[in-house]
Structures are given as C-alpha cells and as structure tokens.
Amino acid sequence: MSTDHAAGHDAAARREDEMTMVSPAAFRPTTHAGTGTGPRARRRLPSWARVFLTGLVLWVVAVPVTFATGNINLIPTIILLGSFLVPVTFVVYVFGRADGVVTAERVFVAFLCGGVLGVLGASILEAALLRQPSGWGYVGVGLIEEAVKLAALWLLARHLPRYTARDGMVLGASVGLGFAALESAGYAFTALFSASGSLSLLNVVETEALRAVLAPFGHGLWTAILGGALFATAARSRHGRPRLGGALLGWYLLMALLHMFWDASSGIAVFLTLLLTGTPTQWTLISLGAAPGVTAAQVHTYTVISWGLLALDAAVGVLILVARWRRTAPPAPVTVT
C-alpha cells in the first residue's frame, strides 16, 4: 500500500471516529416550527399556549353570555373553566419537560387523583385537628396540606421503573396543581352566594381571575419542590425507592413555612398597615375588641403590602425550584467540531 493511500485511509478513519462522538441532534435536519420546513413556514404555538388561549377564549365568551342571558345553567361551565384553565396549562407545560417515564397517563392521574386525595385528606385532618380558629391555624393548614399532597404523590409513584428529581418535580407539580384547581373551584362556588343570599356572578369572575394569577405560585410550586426532594431520596436509597429521611423532612418543613406565610399574608398586611398608619383611636377600638374604620389611604397601603408579601413568597419558591431544577440538569452531550 502506498504512503498516500495509507494517509487517506487514516484520515477517513479519523473522520468516522469524530462523527460517532457528535451528538445525534447534530445530524437532525434543521426545520422551522410549523407545518413546513422553509423559512416562511408558519410557526405553531407550543401546546401549553394553545391550551391556555383556547380555554381563555371559551371562558371569556361564557361570562358575557351568562350575564346577558341570565342562564344559571352556564355557571358550572364558568367555574370549571376558570378554575382549571391555568392549572391545566401549567401541567401541559411541565409535561413537556419530563422524560419517557412520566407518561401523559401518569400526569393525568397525578393531577386528578392526587388533587382529589389531597383535598379530601386536608379536609378530614383540618376538620379533626383545627376546630378552633387561632393564629396557629395557618401553621396547621400548611403542615397538613403539604403532608397530604406529599403522601398522595408517594402513593401514586410507588411503582415507577426509575426515579429522578426532575420527574418528581413534574409529578409533584401535577398533584399540587390538581389540588389548586379543585380548591379554586370550591372558592368560586362559595363566592357565588352573596351575603344577602342572592347569586353573584361578578364575585365568581373576580375570585377566579384573582386565583388564576396566583395559581402558578402556590400549591403547584410547593409540591413540585417536595416531589423533587422525594424522588431524590430514591437515588440515595439502597433499594432505589423513595423514602422518608432528614433531607425530605427539612424540605417539607420549608414548604409548609412558605404555605403558612402565603395564607397569613393578608393578616400580616393588616397588622403592618395599622402599625405604619394606624391612629390612636383605631388602636383603642382594637384593644376594646371593636373593628375600627379605615381610610382610603390605608386600603391602598394594605393592598400594596399584601401583594408585596405574596410576591416575596412566590419569588422565594420560584428561586428554589429553578435552583433545584438546574442542579439536576442532565450532562450535555459531548460534541466535537
């Protein structure tokens, strides 16, 4: 064999070895989102955006139709659409970030069954343990609701073929969002009945709009973090199964604390508003057990403080979730250019 021929053969072998080291994604044809492959192909919205926009249009249409016709048979449609729209949208969003173990069926079961189990368990325990309302009620609610959601997640995820922290976050978010959807439906139904006993559709719409804004930063967020912590224990377990431990207990207490602070934000805002702007007369009435009148400025101050506390709580939860998600990021494929 000649020297030139041998060199050419070695170069070809090296190129073949380099190609085997490149990530398979490098050989996929470059296409544009949409139905075509050219630069003018129409971009398709992601699935979660299509779900959200479709549901939002239906809800926005249903509300004025109900107002115009006065048909109370449409009220359940408004309550269900408004309560489930944002949670379902976020479930579709997180499902797109799961691996093959977390199937659509598992996500659906976690959302519906996990949410129902959580609501039922929380209702039973809160009725049994929190009969007398007090300042400690916020602590009890946070501990109970986070515990029942964690138990529901563990029950639904006992027989997975493998466990990763990211899958735990996805399934945990599904359980928490199912809980949030059912809880929002309950609040909306309660808001339907005004103090005078008449039906108030406006109260329903306002309640659902407010809870839709808050939905992504409550139960879904807290249970997603707990789910990641639960599944992470499987990697440290001898039998490869989630188990209770000190680390999981610490995350549970932290999420219960965020939950408690979230629920108590309204009361804390009232106290801070009076502390900053309260008059001697108002404090005297409070000491006598009477409800003092408030000024328009105090109402605005309360609103700002209340939303600020909720935003602070949500920011802490989001930062924790993002940090945990990034810590569990899979290693990037090795590529050679």
Short mmCIF file of all heavy atoms in Angstrom, two decimals, residues 257-296:
data_model
loop_
_atom_site.label_atom_id
_atom_site.label_comp_id
_atom_site.label_asym_id
_atom_site.label_seq_id
_atom_site.Cartn_x
_atom_site.Cartn_y
_atom_site.Cartn_z
N LEU A 257 -43.69 26.14 55.67
CA LEU A 257 -43.46 27.52 56.11
C LEU A 257 -43.87 28.50 55.02
O LEU A 257 -44.52 29.52 55.30
CB LEU A 257 -41.99 27.71 56.48
CG LEU A 257 -41.59 29.11 56.95
CD1 LEU A 257 -42.32 29.47 58.23
CD2 LEU A 257 -40.08 29.19 57.16
N LEU A 258 -43.49 28.23 53.76
CA LEU A 258 -43.92 29.09 52.66
C LEU A 258 -45.43 29.10 52.53
O LEU A 258 -46.04 30.15 52.27
CB LEU A 258 -43.28 28.61 51.34
CG LEU A 258 -41.79 28.87 51.16
CD1 LEU A 258 -41.32 28.30 49.82
CD2 LEU A 258 -41.46 30.35 51.25
N HIS A 259 -46.04 27.95 52.69
CA HIS A 259 -47.50 27.83 52.63
C HIS A 259 -48.14 28.66 53.74
O HIS A 259 -49.11 29.41 53.50
CB HIS A 259 -47.88 26.35 52.78
CG HIS A 259 -49.32 26.07 52.50
ND1 HIS A 259 -49.76 24.85 52.06
CD2 HIS A 259 -50.43 26.84 52.61
CE1 HIS A 259 -51.08 24.88 51.91
NE2 HIS A 259 -51.51 26.07 52.24
N MET A 260 -47.61 28.55 54.95
CA MET A 260 -48.15 29.29 56.08
C MET A 260 -48.02 30.80 55.85
O MET A 260 -48.97 31.56 56.08
CB MET A 260 -47.41 28.90 57.35
CG MET A 260 -47.83 29.67 58.60
SD MET A 260 -46.53 29.71 59.86
CE MET A 260 -45.32 30.76 59.05
N PHE A 261 -46.86 31.23 55.38
CA PHE A 261 -46.64 32.65 55.14
C PHE A 261 -47.58 33.17 54.05
O PHE A 261 -48.09 34.29 54.14
CB PHE A 261 -45.18 32.88 54.74
CG PHE A 261 -44.80 34.33 54.61
CD1 PHE A 261 -44.50 35.08 55.72
CD2 PHE A 261 -44.74 34.94 53.36
CE1 PHE A 261 -44.16 36.42 55.61
CE2 PHE A 261 -44.39 36.27 53.23
CZ PHE A 261 -44.10 37.01 54.37
N TRP A 262 -47.83 32.34 53.04
CA TRP A 262 -48.75 32.70 51.96
C TRP A 262 -50.16 32.93 52.50
O TRP A 262 -50.80 33.95 52.20
CB TRP A 262 -48.75 31.59 50.91
CG TRP A 262 -49.62 31.81 49.72
CD1 TRP A 262 -50.95 31.59 49.63
CD2 TRP A 262 -49.20 32.29 48.43
NE1 TRP A 262 -51.41 31.87 48.37
CE2 TRP A 262 -50.36 32.31 47.61
CE3 TRP A 262 -47.99 32.67 47.87
CZ2 TRP A 262 -50.33 32.71 46.27
CZ3 TRP A 262 -47.95 33.07 46.54
CH2 TRP A 262 -49.10 33.10 45.76
N ASP A 263 -50.65 31.97 53.29
CA ASP A 263 -52.00 32.09 53.85
C ASP A 263 -52.12 33.25 54.83
O ASP A 263 -53.18 33.88 54.93
CB ASP A 263 -52.39 30.78 54.54
CG ASP A 263 -52.63 29.65 53.57
OD1 ASP A 263 -52.76 29.93 52.36
OD2 ASP A 263 -52.64 28.48 54.00
N ALA A 264 -51.05 33.51 55.58
CA ALA A 264 -51.10 34.54 56.61
C ALA A 264 -50.78 35.93 56.08
O ALA A 264 -50.80 36.89 56.85
CB ALA A 264 -50.12 34.20 57.73
N SER A 265 -50.49 36.05 54.79
CA SER A 265 -50.06 37.34 54.24
C SER A 265 -51.12 38.43 54.43
O SER A 265 -50.79 39.59 54.68
CB SER A 265 -49.70 37.20 52.75
OG SER A 265 -50.83 36.77 52.00
N SER A 266 -52.39 38.06 54.32
CA SER A 266 -53.45 39.05 54.49
C SER A 266 -53.45 39.60 55.91
O SER A 266 -53.53 40.81 56.13
CB SER A 266 -54.80 38.44 54.14
OG SER A 266 -55.84 39.37 54.33
N GLY A 267 -53.40 38.71 56.91
CA GLY A 267 -53.37 39.16 58.29
C GLY A 267 -52.12 39.96 58.62
O GLY A 267 -52.19 40.96 59.36
N ILE A 268 -50.98 39.53 58.08
CA ILE A 268 -49.74 40.27 58.31
C ILE A 268 -49.84 41.66 57.69
O ILE A 268 -49.38 42.66 58.27
CB ILE A 268 -48.54 39.50 57.73
CG1 ILE A 268 -48.36 38.17 58.47
CG2 ILE A 268 -47.26 40.33 57.83
CD1 ILE A 268 -47.31 37.27 57.86
N ALA A 269 -50.46 41.74 56.51
CA ALA A 269 -50.61 43.04 55.84
C ALA A 269 -51.50 43.97 56.65
O ALA A 269 -51.24 45.18 56.73
CB ALA A 269 -51.19 42.84 54.44
N VAL A 270 -52.56 43.44 57.26
CA VAL A 270 -53.42 44.27 58.12
C VAL A 270 -52.62 44.82 59.29
O VAL A 270 -52.69 46.03 59.61
CB VAL A 270 -54.62 43.45 58.62
CG1 VAL A 270 -55.38 44.23 59.69
CG2 VAL A 270 -55.56 43.12 57.46
N PHE A 271 -51.84 43.95 59.93
CA PHE A 271 -51.05 44.40 61.09
C PHE A 271 -50.02 45.45 60.69
O PHE A 271 -49.87 46.48 61.36
CB PHE A 271 -50.35 43.19 61.72
CG PHE A 271 -49.40 43.55 62.82
CD1 PHE A 271 -49.88 43.90 64.08
CD2 PHE A 271 -48.04 43.57 62.60
CE1 PHE A 271 -49.01 44.25 65.09
CE2 PHE A 271 -47.15 43.91 63.61
CZ PHE A 271 -47.64 44.25 64.86
N LEU A 272 -49.32 45.23 59.58
CA LEU A 272 -48.30 46.18 59.14
C LEU A 272 -48.94 47.51 58.73
O LEU A 272 -48.37 48.58 58.97
CB LEU A 272 -47.50 45.60 57.98
CG LEU A 272 -46.59 44.42 58.33
CD1 LEU A 272 -45.89 43.90 57.08
CD2 LEU A 272 -45.55 44.81 59.38
N THR A 273 -50.12 47.44 58.12
CA THR A 273 -50.80 48.68 57.73
C THR A 273 -51.16 49.51 58.96
O THR A 273 -50.94 50.72 58.99
CB THR A 273 -52.06 48.35 56.92
OG1 THR A 273 -51.70 47.64 55.74
CG2 THR A 273 -52.80 49.62 56.52
N LEU A 274 -51.72 48.85 59.96
CA LEU A 274 -52.06 49.57 61.19
C LEU A 274 -50.81 50.05 61.92
O LEU A 274 -50.79 51.14 62.52
CB LEU A 274 -52.89 48.68 62.11
CG LEU A 274 -54.31 48.38 61.63
CD1 LEU A 274 -54.98 47.35 62.54
CD2 LEU A 274 -55.14 49.67 61.58
N LEU A 275 -49.75 49.25 61.86
CA LEU A 275 -48.51 49.65 62.53
C LEU A 275 -47.93 50.91 61.89
O LEU A 275 -47.37 51.77 62.58
CB LEU A 275 -47.51 48.50 62.46
CG LEU A 275 -46.19 48.68 63.23
CD1 LEU A 275 -46.47 48.77 64.73
CD2 LEU A 275 -45.23 47.54 62.93
N LEU A 276 -48.06 51.01 60.55
CA LEU A 276 -47.48 52.14 59.83
C LEU A 276 -48.40 53.37 59.81
O LEU A 276 -47.91 54.50 59.82
CB LEU A 276 -47.14 51.73 58.40
CG LEU A 276 -46.05 50.65 58.24
CD1 LEU A 276 -45.93 50.23 56.78
CD2 LEU A 276 -44.71 51.17 58.75
N THR A 277 -49.71 53.13 59.74
CA THR A 277 -50.62 54.25 59.51
C THR A 277 -51.74 54.34 60.54
O THR A 277 -52.60 55.20 60.43
CB THR A 277 -51.26 54.14 58.11
OG1 THR A 277 -52.08 52.95 58.05
CG2 THR A 277 -50.21 54.06 57.02
N GLY A 278 -51.75 53.45 61.53
CA GLY A 278 -52.85 53.43 62.49
C GLY A 278 -52.88 54.67 63.38
O GLY A 278 -51.84 55.23 63.76
N THR A 279 -54.07 55.11 63.73
CA THR A 279 -54.28 56.26 64.60
C THR A 279 -54.53 55.78 66.03
O THR A 279 -54.93 54.62 66.24
CB THR A 279 -55.47 57.10 64.12
OG1 THR A 279 -56.66 56.30 64.23
CG2 THR A 279 -55.28 57.53 62.68
N PRO A 280 -54.34 56.62 67.03
CA PRO A 280 -54.64 56.22 68.41
C PRO A 280 -56.08 55.74 68.59
O PRO A 280 -56.34 54.80 69.36
CB PRO A 280 -54.37 57.50 69.20
CG PRO A 280 -53.36 58.24 68.38
CD PRO A 280 -53.73 57.96 66.96
N THR A 281 -57.01 56.37 67.90
CA THR A 281 -58.41 55.94 68.01
C THR A 281 -58.59 54.51 67.51
O THR A 281 -59.31 53.71 68.12
CB THR A 281 -59.31 56.90 67.21
OG1 THR A 281 -59.14 58.23 67.69
CG2 THR A 281 -60.77 56.48 67.32
N GLN A 282 -57.96 54.19 66.39
CA GLN A 282 -58.07 52.84 65.84
C GLN A 282 -57.48 51.81 66.79
O GLN A 282 -58.06 50.74 67.01
CB GLN A 282 -57.37 52.78 64.48
CG GLN A 282 -58.11 53.52 63.37
CD GLN A 282 -57.35 53.49 62.06
OE1 GLN A 282 -56.12 53.57 62.04
NE2 GLN A 282 -58.07 53.40 60.96
N TRP A 283 -56.33 52.11 67.37
CA TRP A 283 -55.72 51.18 68.32
C TRP A 283 -56.58 51.01 69.56
O TRP A 283 -56.67 49.91 70.14
CB TRP A 283 -54.32 51.65 68.69
CG TRP A 283 -53.30 51.42 67.62
CD1 TRP A 283 -52.66 52.35 66.87
CD2 TRP A 283 -52.80 50.15 67.19
NE1 TRP A 283 -51.79 51.76 65.98
CE2 TRP A 283 -51.86 50.40 66.17
CE3 TRP A 283 -53.05 48.83 67.55
CZ2 TRP A 283 -51.17 49.38 65.50
CZ3 TRP A 283 -52.37 47.81 66.90
CH2 TRP A 283 -51.45 48.09 65.89
N THR A 284 -57.22 52.08 69.99
CA THR A 284 -58.11 51.98 71.15
C THR A 284 -59.29 51.07 70.87
O THR A 284 -59.67 50.23 71.69
CB THR A 284 -58.61 53.38 71.55
OG1 THR A 284 -57.50 54.23 71.87
CG2 THR A 284 -59.54 53.29 72.75
N LEU A 285 -59.89 51.23 69.69
CA LEU A 285 -61.01 50.37 69.30
C LEU A 285 -60.58 48.91 69.19
O LEU A 285 -61.33 48.00 69.59
CB LEU A 285 -61.60 50.85 67.97
CG LEU A 285 -62.34 52.19 68.01
CD1 LEU A 285 -62.72 52.62 66.59
CD2 LEU A 285 -63.60 52.07 68.88
N ILE A 286 -59.39 48.68 68.67
CA ILE A 286 -58.90 47.31 68.56
C ILE A 286 -58.71 46.69 69.94
O ILE A 286 -59.04 45.52 70.18
CB ILE A 286 -57.58 47.29 67.75
CG1 ILE A 286 -57.84 47.66 66.30
CG2 ILE A 286 -56.92 45.91 67.84
CD1 ILE A 286 -56.59 47.81 65.47
N SER A 287 -58.16 47.48 70.87
CA SER A 287 -57.95 46.97 72.23
C SER A 287 -59.27 46.63 72.92
O SER A 287 -59.33 45.78 73.81
CB SER A 287 -57.17 47.99 73.06
OG SER A 287 -57.94 49.18 73.24
N LEU A 288 -60.35 47.29 72.50
CA LEU A 288 -61.67 47.03 73.07
C LEU A 288 -62.41 45.91 72.33
O LEU A 288 -63.54 45.57 72.68
CB LEU A 288 -62.52 48.31 73.03
CG LEU A 288 -62.02 49.46 73.90
CD1 LEU A 288 -62.88 50.70 73.67
CD2 LEU A 288 -62.02 49.07 75.38
N GLY A 289 -61.77 45.36 71.28
CA GLY A 289 -62.38 44.27 70.52
C GLY A 289 -63.31 44.73 69.43
O GLY A 289 -64.07 43.92 68.88
N ALA A 290 -63.28 46.03 69.10
CA ALA A 290 -64.15 46.57 68.04
C ALA A 290 -63.34 46.74 66.76
O ALA A 290 -62.12 46.93 66.78
CB ALA A 290 -64.74 47.91 68.48
N ALA A 291 -64.04 46.67 65.64
CA ALA A 291 -63.39 46.84 64.35
C ALA A 291 -63.35 48.33 64.00
O ALA A 291 -64.40 48.97 63.88
CB ALA A 291 -64.14 46.08 63.27
N PRO A 292 -62.16 48.90 63.83
CA PRO A 292 -62.09 50.33 63.52
C PRO A 292 -62.36 50.60 62.05
O PRO A 292 -62.18 49.72 61.19
CB PRO A 292 -60.64 50.68 63.87
CG PRO A 292 -59.89 49.41 63.61
CD PRO A 292 -60.84 48.29 63.97
N GLY A 293 -62.81 51.79 61.75
CA GLY A 293 -62.95 52.19 60.36
C GLY A 293 -61.58 52.45 59.75
O GLY A 293 -60.61 52.75 60.46
N VAL A 294 -61.50 52.32 58.44
CA VAL A 294 -60.22 52.52 57.75
C VAL A 294 -60.38 53.61 56.71
O VAL A 294 -61.48 53.86 56.20
CB VAL A 294 -59.73 51.22 57.08
CG1 VAL A 294 -59.44 50.15 58.11
CG2 VAL A 294 -60.76 50.71 56.07
N THR A 295 -59.26 54.25 56.39
CA THR A 295 -59.26 55.30 55.38
C THR A 295 -58.92 54.71 54.02
O THR A 295 -58.42 53.58 53.91
CB THR A 295 -58.24 56.38 55.74
OG1 THR A 295 -56.92 55.80 55.70
CG2 THR A 295 -58.50 56.93 57.13
N ALA A 296 -59.16 55.51 52.97
CA ALA A 296 -58.82 55.07 51.62
C ALA A 296 -57.32 54.85 51.48
O ALA A 296 -56.88 53.91 50.80
CB ALA A 296 -59.31 56.11 50.60
#
